[in-house]
Coordinates of all heavy atoms in Angstrom, one line a residue:
F235 N 82.2 117.6 95.5 CA 82.4 118.9 94.9 C 82.2 118.8 93.3 O 81.7 119.7 92.7 CB 83.8 119.4 95.2 CG 84.1 120.8 94.8 CD1 83.4 121.9 95.4 CD2 85.0 121.1 93.8 CE1 83.6 123.2 95.0 CE2 85.2 122.4 93.4 CZ 84.5 123.5 94.0
I239 N 79.7 121.1 91.1 CA 80.1 121.8 89.9 C 79.2 121.5 88.7 O 78.8 122.3 87.9 CB 81.6 121.6 89.6 CG1 82.5 122.2 90.7 CG2 82.0 122.1 88.2 CD1 82.3 123.7 90.8
A240 N 78.9 120.2 88.6 CA 78.1 119.7 87.4 C 76.7 120.3 87.4 O 76.1 120.4 86.3 CB 78.1 118.2 87.4
A242 N 75.9 123.4 88.8 CA 75.9 124.8 89.1 C 76.7 125.5 88.0 O 77.9 125.8 88.2 CB 76.5 125.1 90.5
P243 N 76.1 125.8 86.8 CA 76.8 126.3 85.7 C 77.5 127.7 86.0 O 78.6 128.0 85.5 CB 75.7 126.5 84.6 CG 74.4 126.3 85.3 CD 74.7 125.5 86.5
Q244 N 76.8 128.5 86.8 CA 77.5 129.8 87.1 C 78.7 129.7 87.9 O 79.7 130.3 87.7 CB 76.5 130.7 87.8 CG 75.3 131.2 87.0 CD 74.4 132.2 87.7 OE1 74.2 132.0 88.9 NE2 73.8 133.1 87.0
L245 N 78.7 128.7 88.9 CA 79.9 128.5 89.7 C 81.0 127.9 88.8 O 82.1 128.2 88.9 CB 79.5 127.5 90.8 CG 80.7 127.1 91.7 CD1 81.4 128.3 92.3 CD2 80.2 126.1 92.8
R246 N 80.6 126.9 87.9 CA 81.6 126.3 87.0 C 82.2 127.4 86.2 O 83.4 127.3 85.9 CB 80.9 125.2 86.2 CG 81.9 124.5 85.3 CD 81.2 123.3 84.6 NE 80.1 123.7 83.7 CZ 78.8 123.4 84.0 NH1 78.5 122.7 85.1 NH2 77.9 123.7 83.1
A247 N 81.4 128.3 85.6 CA 81.9 129.3 84.8 C 82.9 130.2 85.5 O 84.0 130.6 85.0 CB 80.8 130.2 84.2
A248 N 82.6 130.5 86.8 CA 83.5 131.4 87.6 C 84.8 130.7 87.9 O 85.9 131.4 87.9 CB 82.8 131.8 88.9
L249 N 84.8 129.4 88.1 CA 86.0 128.7 88.4 C 86.8 128.2 87.1 O 87.9 127.8 87.3 CB 85.7 127.5 89.3 CG 85.2 127.8 90.7 CD1 84.7 126.5 91.4 CD2 86.3 128.5 91.5
S250 N 86.1 128.2 86.0 CA 86.7 127.8 84.8 C 87.0 128.9 83.8 O 87.2 128.7 82.6 CB 85.8 126.7 84.1 OG 85.5 125.7 85.0
G251 N 86.9 130.2 84.2 CA 87.1 131.3 83.4 C 88.4 131.3 82.7 O 89.4 130.6 83.1
R252 N 88.5 132.0 81.6 CA 89.7 132.0 80.8 C 90.8 132.9 81.3 O 91.9 133.0 80.8 CB 89.4 132.5 79.4 CG 88.5 131.5 78.6 CD 88.2 132.0 77.2 NE 87.3 131.1 76.5 CZ 86.9 131.3 75.2 NH1 87.3 132.3 74.6 NH2 86.1 130.4 74.6
D253 N 90.6 133.6 82.4 CA 91.5 134.5 83.0 C 92.6 133.7 83.7 O 92.4 133.2 84.8 CB 90.9 135.4 84.0 CG 91.9 136.5 84.6 OD1 93.0 136.4 84.2 OD2 91.4 137.3 85.4
D254 N 93.8 133.5 83.0 CA 94.9 132.7 83.6 C 95.9 133.6 84.2 O 97.0 133.1 84.5 CB 95.5 131.8 82.5 CG 94.6 130.8 81.9 OD1 93.7 130.3 82.7 OD2 94.7 130.4 80.7
G258 N 93.7 136.4 88.3 CA 92.6 135.5 88.1 C 92.7 134.3 88.9 O 91.7 133.8 89.5
A261 N 91.8 135.1 92.6 CA 90.3 135.2 92.7 C 89.7 133.8 92.8 O 88.8 133.6 93.6 CB 89.8 136.0 91.6
K262 N 90.1 132.9 91.9 CA 89.5 131.6 91.9 C 89.8 130.9 93.2 O 89.0 130.2 93.8 CB 90.0 130.8 90.7 CG 89.5 131.3 89.4 CD 90.2 130.6 88.2 CE 89.8 131.2 86.9 NZ 90.5 130.5 85.8
A263 N 91.1 131.0 93.7 CA 91.5 130.4 94.9 C 90.7 130.9 96.1 O 90.3 130.1 97.0 CB 93.0 130.6 95.2
L265 N 87.7 132.1 96.0 CA 86.3 131.5 95.9 C 86.3 130.1 96.4 O 85.3 129.7 97.1 CB 85.9 131.5 94.4 CG 84.4 131.0 94.1 CD1 83.4 131.6 95.0 CD2 84.1 131.2 92.6
I266 N 87.3 129.3 96.1 CA 87.3 127.9 96.6 C 87.4 127.9 98.2 O 86.8 127.1 98.9 CB 88.5 127.2 96.0 CG1 88.3 126.9 94.5 CG2 88.8 125.8 96.8 CD1 87.1 126.0 94.2
V282 N 92.0 121.2 95.1 CA 91.1 121.9 94.2 C 91.6 123.3 93.9 O 91.5 123.7 92.7 CB 89.7 122.0 94.9 CG1 88.7 122.8 94.0 CG2 89.1 120.6 95.1
L285 N 94.1 123.0 91.2 CA 93.4 122.7 89.9 C 92.8 123.9 89.3 O 92.9 124.1 88.0 CB 92.3 121.6 90.2 CG 91.4 121.2 89.0 CD1 92.3 120.6 87.9 CD2 90.4 120.2 89.4
V286 N 92.1 124.8 90.0 CA 91.5 126.0 89.4 C 92.6 127.0 89.1 O 92.4 127.8 88.2 CB 90.4 126.5 90.3 CG1 89.3 125.5 90.6 CG2 91.0 127.1 91.6
E287 N 93.6 127.0 89.8 CA 94.7 128.0 89.5 C 95.4 127.7 88.3 O 95.8 128.5 87.5 CB 95.7 128.1 90.7 CG 95.2 128.9 91.9 CD 96.2 129.0 93.0 OE1 97.0 128.1 93.1 OE2 96.2 130.0 93.7
R288 N 95.7 126.4 88.1 CA 96.4 125.9 86.9 C 95.7 124.7 86.2 O 96.2 123.6 86.4 CB 97.9 125.5 87.3 CG 98.6 126.6 88.0 CD 100.1 126.2 88.2 NE 100.7 127.1 89.2 CZ 100.7 126.9 90.5 NH1 100.2 125.9 91.0 NH2 101.3 127.8 91.3
P289 N 94.6 125.0 85.5 CA 93.9 123.8 84.9 C 94.7 123.1 83.8 O 94.4 122.0 83.5 CB 92.7 124.5 84.4 CG 93.0 125.9 84.2 CD 94.0 126.3 85.3
R290 N 95.6 123.9 83.2 CA 96.5 123.3 82.2 C 95.7 122.6 81.1 O 96.0 121.5 80.7 CB 97.5 122.4 82.8 CG 98.4 123.1 83.9 CD 99.5 122.3 84.4 NE 100.3 121.7 83.4 CZ 100.4 120.4 83.1 NH1 99.8 119.5 83.9 NH2 101.2 120.0 82.2
G291 N 94.7 123.2 80.6 CA 93.9 122.7 79.4 C 92.8 121.7 79.8 O 92.1 121.3 78.9
R292 N 92.7 121.4 81.1 CA 91.6 120.4 81.5 C 90.4 121.2 81.9 O 90.4 122.3 82.4 CB 92.1 119.6 82.6 CG 93.3 118.7 82.4 CD 93.8 118.2 83.7 NE 94.3 119.3 84.5 CZ 95.0 119.2 85.6 NH1 95.3 118.0 86.0 NH2 95.5 120.2 86.3
S293 N 89.2 120.6 81.7 CA 88.0 121.1 82.3 C 88.0 120.8 83.8 O 88.8 119.9 84.2 CB 86.8 120.4 81.7 OG 86.7 119.1 82.1
L294 N 87.3 121.6 84.5 CA 87.3 121.4 86.0 C 86.7 120.1 86.3 O 87.3 119.4 87.2 CB 86.4 122.5 86.6 CG 86.3 122.5 88.1 CD1 87.7 122.6 88.8 CD2 85.5 123.7 88.6
E295 N 85.7 119.6 85.6 CA 85.1 118.3 85.9 C 86.2 117.2 85.7 O 86.3 116.2 86.4 CB 83.9 118.0 85.1 CG 82.7 118.9 85.4 CD 82.6 120.2 84.6 OE1 83.7 120.6 84.2 OE2 81.5 120.6 84.3
A296 N 86.9 117.3 84.5 CA 87.9 116.3 84.2 C 89.0 116.3 85.2 O 89.5 115.2 85.6 CB 88.5 116.5 82.8
G297 N 89.4 117.5 85.7 CA 90.5 117.5 86.7 C 90.0 116.9 88.0 O 90.8 116.2 88.7
L298 N 88.8 117.2 88.4 CA 88.3 116.6 89.7 C 88.2 115.1 89.6 O 88.5 114.3 90.5 CB 86.9 117.2 90.0 CG 87.0 118.6 90.5 CD1 85.6 119.2 90.5 CD2 87.6 118.8 91.9

Side-chain angles (χ1 to χ4, degrees):
F235 188 66
I239 292 299
Q244 290 183 328
L245 176 59
R246 182 171 63 247
L249 293 173
S250 306
R252 296 182 179 180
D253 185 357
D254 294 329
K262 293 174 186 177
L265 179 53
I266 291 297
V282 176
L285 177 60
V286 300
E287 284 183 327
R288 303 185 194 94
R290 302 186 52 244
R292 297 165 298 189
S293 70
L294 183 54
E295 293 93 330
L298 288 168

